[in-house]
Amino acid sequence: MTRGRLQHLLRALVLVPAFALVAVPALAEGGKKKPATEEGSGGGGGKYREACKEGNSKYAARDFPAAIAAYQKAIEVDPNNGLGHYFLGEAQEAAGNLVEAEAAWNRASLATDKDPALRARVLFCLADLKERQKKWDDARAAWQVYFDWASKYPNAGAFPGSAQSRQQAIDAAKKQDAAYAVVRQRIADTQKGGVFTDLMKSVGH
């Protein structure tokens, strides 16, 4: 998906390798290479991989409803595997279902505490989502969680510097919003005054 802000470029650098280079090739090779996150903690191996493979294929074809259905099928097979929840969040977001995407990523976060790299991607998604929703305080807190995780696991492929830069951008956005709020209030007050003056003139005052 195309977005105009810096964190979207950063997100692409972080997430595309996980989505395209890890899951899809491994699945396409008939399971010969099986990243630990795809094995499934509750069994179901082949069915889980096939459902994820189908979801990846549908996602690539931009058939997001079908991708969502496939990832949900994978989650039914192994609900404790965080990868399915992560993929589901990506598909839900692509379909414009931001509430559902957030819910999926929250579940993925709970299921990836033993997979530092995948959890870093999930935490990035959650922080980015909060910021795009302009929930500044929540976004700033989410970026701090991402920063703390990235600092704790330096080999997880995360970018602590990007979290700090996003927090700075959020602080600037909050100041800008506050300044605009003052301007908007002045405009509203002026408009009210103008209406009152026009009303007084209409009654001969």
Side-chain angles (χ1 to χ4, degrees), residues 1 41 55 79 110 150 154 178 202 204:
M1 292 175 286
S41 57
L110 295 175
S202 69

Side-chain angles (χ1 to χ4, degrees), residues 145-202:
V145 172
Y146 174 78
F147 174 82
D148 293 342
W149 188 262
S151 300
K152 184 177 180 180
Y153 296 97
N155 296 322
F159 302 96
S162 68
Q164 293 176 313
S165 68
R166 295 319 309 158
Q167 287 180 322
Q168 293 172 356
I170 288 170
D171 291 341
K174 289 177 66 176
K175 290 181 180 179
Q176 188 177 55
D177 279 357
Y180 284 159
V182 173
V183 172
R184 287 193 295 267
Q185 186 59 50
R186 288 177 178 172
I187 293 174
D189 292 343
T190 300
Q191 290 175 338
K192 288 180 181 178
V195 171
F196 180 75
T197 300
D198 291 342
L199 178 63
M200 293 295 288
K201 289 180 179 179
S202 69

Side-chain angles (χ1 to χ4, degrees), residues 136-148:
W136 302 131
D137 292 337
D138 290 345
R140 202 181 197 290
W143 282 120
Q144 187 62 47
V145 172
Y146 174 78
F147 174 82
D148 293 342

Side-chain angles (χ1 to χ4, degrees), residues 4-62:
R5 297 199 313 242
L6 174 62
Q7 74 270 30
H8 300 151
L9 173 59
L10 291 172
R11 181 176 177 182
L13 294 174
V14 176
L15 299 183
V16 169
F19 199 93
L21 301 182
V22 175
V24 176
L27 295 171
E29 293 172 8
K32 294 180 181 179
K33 296 181 180 179
K34 303 174 184 177
T37 51
E38 291 190 8
E39 288 296 330
S41 57
K47 290 183 179 180
Y48 186 87
R49 291 193 299 273
E50 284 303 312
C52 284
K53 179 180 178 180
E54 179 184 356
N56 292 342
S57 176
K58 297 299 184 181
Y59 185 98
R62 302 188 64 80

Side-chain angles (χ1 to χ4, degrees), residues 20-118:
L21 301 182
V22 175
V24 176
L27 295 171
E29 293 172 8
K32 294 180 181 179
K33 296 181 180 179
K34 303 174 184 177
T37 51
E38 291 190 8
E39 288 296 330
S41 57
K47 290 183 179 180
Y48 186 87
R49 291 193 299 273
E50 284 303 312
C52 284
K53 179 180 178 180
E54 179 184 356
N56 292 342
S57 176
K58 297 299 184 181
Y59 185 98
R62 302 188 64 80
D63 186 351
F64 302 127
I68 289 170
Y71 295 137
Q72 288 173 333
K73 187 189 304 181
I75 292 169
E76 289 177 2
V77 173
D78 187 356
N80 295 319
N81 192 321
L83 189 65
H85 296 288
Y86 163 66
F87 282 165
L88 177 61
E90 286 288 341
Q92 292 282 18
E93 186 197 39
N97 306 325
L98 300 187
V99 173
E100 290 82 356
E102 182 177 2
W105 286 329
N106 280 329
R107 290 191 294 271
S109 179
L110 295 175
T112 55
D113 58 316
K114 295 182 180 180
D115 187 340
L118 181 56

